[in-house]
Amino acid sequence: ERNQADVFEAKSGRTDLIFLIRFRHCSLLRNQRCILAYLYDRLLRIRALRWEYGSVLPNTIQFHMAAEEVEWFNRYKKSLATYMRSVGGEEGLDLTQDIKPPKSLYIEVRCLRDYGEFEINDGTTVLLKKNSQHFLPRWKCEQLIRQGVLEHIL
Amino acid sequence: GPDSDGGSEELVLTPAQLIRSLEQAWLNEKFAPELLESKPEIIECVVEQLDHMEANLKRAKREDLKVSVHRMEIERIRYVLSSYLRCRLVKIEKFFPHVLEKEKSRTEGEPSILSPEEFAFAKEYMANTETYLKNVALKHMPPNLQKVSLLKSVPKPNLDSFVFLRVLERQENILVEPETDEQREYTIDLEEGSQHLIRYKTIAPLVASGAVQLI
């Protein structure tokens, strides 16, 4: 506002204020850039959360997010879901799976916490209890590994 | 094996050729600094191919070895397809104002860099981000600072970055622009099968035409 007052005075003839006005304007612009850079960087990290954690964010993380950021996240994941559904066949293609090239079909996993029953392709179910180990198809486990329910034993 | 039918003008590719096209598009997209042309025909055919293979698997008896090999193949193809699409999304998000601007100012005959779905995604991403910045910061700023040009603020892809390539079709007289003031421009010939490390900008049209493959 101080700047605007000076701009008004400058227009009415006080040319010696020009430098002060330009200096202030530059600092205002710089502050604007810093604010936007900070906010944008936070958005990028929130975006990364969708790819790492999935569509439901742990409460501890949500606690650190502003309401508008949560809104941005919800809109982003909706937009992403629409896109993924439009690719590939009837059910769409979940692009958050298959992050690494497949090395083997079945992997050894250990269960980190009680999860309950888990169904694999041919209809058989497996009971995932804490500390139990299983030899399961890789593509079924990816999601659970990322959520921290299963641990891949190498 | 089944023949996949491409778009109306495309040749009919064998599954092996289709997968090779997918891998080529994937590698090019991975190593190019900018978003490349969209390849909806390849994606559509690969998806069809995957569905076909899955259906075959369901029908097959549980002869473990054959089923395992086919399943592995499905997994691999799905990985390449996902990686390719993810790579494109990352670039779309990274350069969103420029990507949208390029698509908007595209002339009639020029091929599109965004599929309709990607275009919708890009527009939503832009609107989402603009709304957020406006509500959280810009509307609280003094009146003359409330607008910001995302086109100017978001960095453009660096077309001068160096890429490795293999030459698929012989090229003659490629003009290489000077990098510094002391250098002068010169021309080079690209022999088929040779490999080069060169600035992306110089060979961008060759990637689009399929004359070179980024590696």
Side-chain angles (χ1 to χ4, degrees):
Chain A
E1 287 136 7
R2 286 232 305 270
N3 224 22
Q4 293 290 54
D6 285 341
V7 168
F8 183 68
E9 292 218 23
K11 283 194 185 151
S12 19
R14 285 189 62 186
T15 50
D16 54 331
L17 286 178
I18 294 282
F19 298 111
L20 176 60
I21 292 169
R22 286 187 74 189
F23 176 73
R24 280 220 201 93
H25 191 65
C26 283
S27 359
L28 287 173
L29 279 178
R30 183 180 177 275
N31 289 347
Q32 184 200 50
R33 256 181 53 212
C34 291
I35 292 173
L36 293 179
Y38 166 71
L39 292 173
Y40 190 62
D41 194 73
R42 278 180 70 94
L43 282 189
L44 293 180
R45 287 169 202 238
I46 293 171
R47 179 258 181 211
L49 292 175
R50 168 63 186 90
W51 288 85
E52 230 180 273
Y53 283 96
S55 2
V56 180
L57 292 181
N59 277 330
T60 44
I61 292 186
Q62 273 209 11
F63 187 65
H64 291 296
M65 283 166 61
E68 291 90 351
E69 288 174 331
V70 174
E71 218 182 289
W72 187 92
F73 178 79
N74 288 335
R75 284 206 210 114
Y76 176 74
K77 74 176 185 192
K78 190 155 166 253
S79 186
L80 182 63
T82 308
Y83 174 73
M84 295 200 294
R85 225 183 355 254
S86 73
V87 177
E90 300 140 23
E91 297 160 7
L93 183 62
D94 185 355
L95 293 177
T96 62
Q97 303 272 59
D98 308 303
I99 300 285
K100 293 218 163 81
K103 285 240 160 73
S104 63
L105 277 182
Y106 282 75
I107 51 172
E108 190 80 33
V109 289
R110 183 183 300 124
C111 197
L112 295 176
R113 51 176 198 258
D114 277 333
Y115 183 76
E117 299 222 324
F118 185 53
E119 188 182 326
I120 36 181
N121 311 19
D122 47 3
T124 55
T125 52
V126 164
L127 181 62
L128 297 178
K129 261 187 81 122
K130 187 167 173 183
N131 287 326
S132 61
Q133 277 182 219
H134 307 273
F135 191 57
L136 295 175
R138 195 189 51 85
W139 65 95
K140 284 267 162 193
C141 304
E142 237 188 295
Q143 181 102 17
L144 291 176
I145 292 177
R146 281 224 301 280
Q147 286 172 354
V149 175
L150 293 178
E151 180 189 32
H152 184 186
I153 311 172
L154 293 153
Chain B
D3 274 346
S4 299
D5 200 40
S8 45
E9 328 92 336
E10 298 295 307
L11 301 169
V12 173
L13 296 174
T14 65
Q17 287 173 323
L18 173 66
I19 300 308
R20 201 170 328 125
S21 302
L22 173 67
E23 286 175 354
Q24 282 177 340
W26 172 57
L27 289 174
N28 280 339
E29 197 72 66
K30 217 167 176 237
F31 297 118
E34 63 174 351
L35 186 68
L36 300 175
E37 252 173 68
S38 76
K39 305 269 178 198
E41 341 76 52
I42 297 186
I43 297 173
E44 210 181 292
C45 291
V46 171
V47 166
E48 234 177 78
Q49 179 76 345
L50 283 176
D51 283 342
H52 199 108
M53 288 170 81
E54 287 267 10
N56 278 348
L57 265 197
K58 281 202 169 76
R59 280 200 303 262
K61 304 202 192 83
R62 311 225 325 158
E63 306 156 27
D64 269 19
L65 187 60
K66 203 160 82 160
V67 165
S68 294
V69 168
H70 279 258
R71 179 141 279 292
M72 200 58 187
E73 190 60 20
I74 293 178
E75 295 296 301
R76 285 207 184 100
I77 296 173
R78 203 188 7 249
Y79 165 74
V80 173
L81 179 62
S82 291
S83 184
Y84 170 65
L85 294 173
R86 269 196 299 268
C87 182
R88 288 181 61 84
L89 278 188
V90 164
K91 283 193 212 173
I92 290 173
E93 291 176 6
K94 196 166 177 191
F95 304 122
F96 66 96
H98 307 287
V99 158
L100 284 170
E101 187 61 30
K102 192 166 171 186
E103 189 63 15
K104 285 199 181 114
S105 51
R106 184 172 60 99
T107 56
E108 263 303 305
E110 254 180 274
S112 191
I113 51 168
L114 293 173
S115 72
E117 297 82 12
E118 285 172 338
F119 186 54
F121 177 79
K123 277 198 298 195
E124 286 164 16
Y125 188 80
M126 175 134 180
N128 197 11
T129 306
E130 272 180 333
T131 308
Y132 169 80
L133 290 176
K134 192 170 80 181
N135 288 336
V136 175
L138 290 173
K139 75 176 182 201
H140 300 294
M141 292 193 183
N144 61 334
L145 287 176
Q146 281 187 5
K147 291 245 177 265
V148 82
S149 162
L150 286 177
L151 198 57
K152 291 208 198 105
S153 323
V154 174
K156 280 181 135 158
N158 179 16
L159 300 176
D160 284 323
S161 43
F162 278 79
V163 293
F164 282 97
L165 62 85
R166 185 184 311 121
V167 180
L168 301 176
E169 291 163 18
R170 184 166 198 279
Q171 301 294 313
E172 299 194 346
N173 293 327
I174 303 296
L175 187 65
V176 181
E177 278 166 31
E179 283 171 76
T180 61
D181 288 331
E182 293 98 45
Q183 293 176 348
R184 274 204 315 238
E185 53 185 28
Y186 55 95
T187 62
I188 53 171
D189 292 337
L190 298 175
E191 296 297 325
E192 187 178 321
S194 62
Q195 293 179 177
H196 302 266
L197 175 61
I198 196 169
R199 251 179 303 150
Y200 173 76
K201 195 155 58 168
T202 315
I203 48 94
L206 300 179
V207 177
S209 70
V212 304
Q213 167 75 50
L214 298 185
I215 53 176

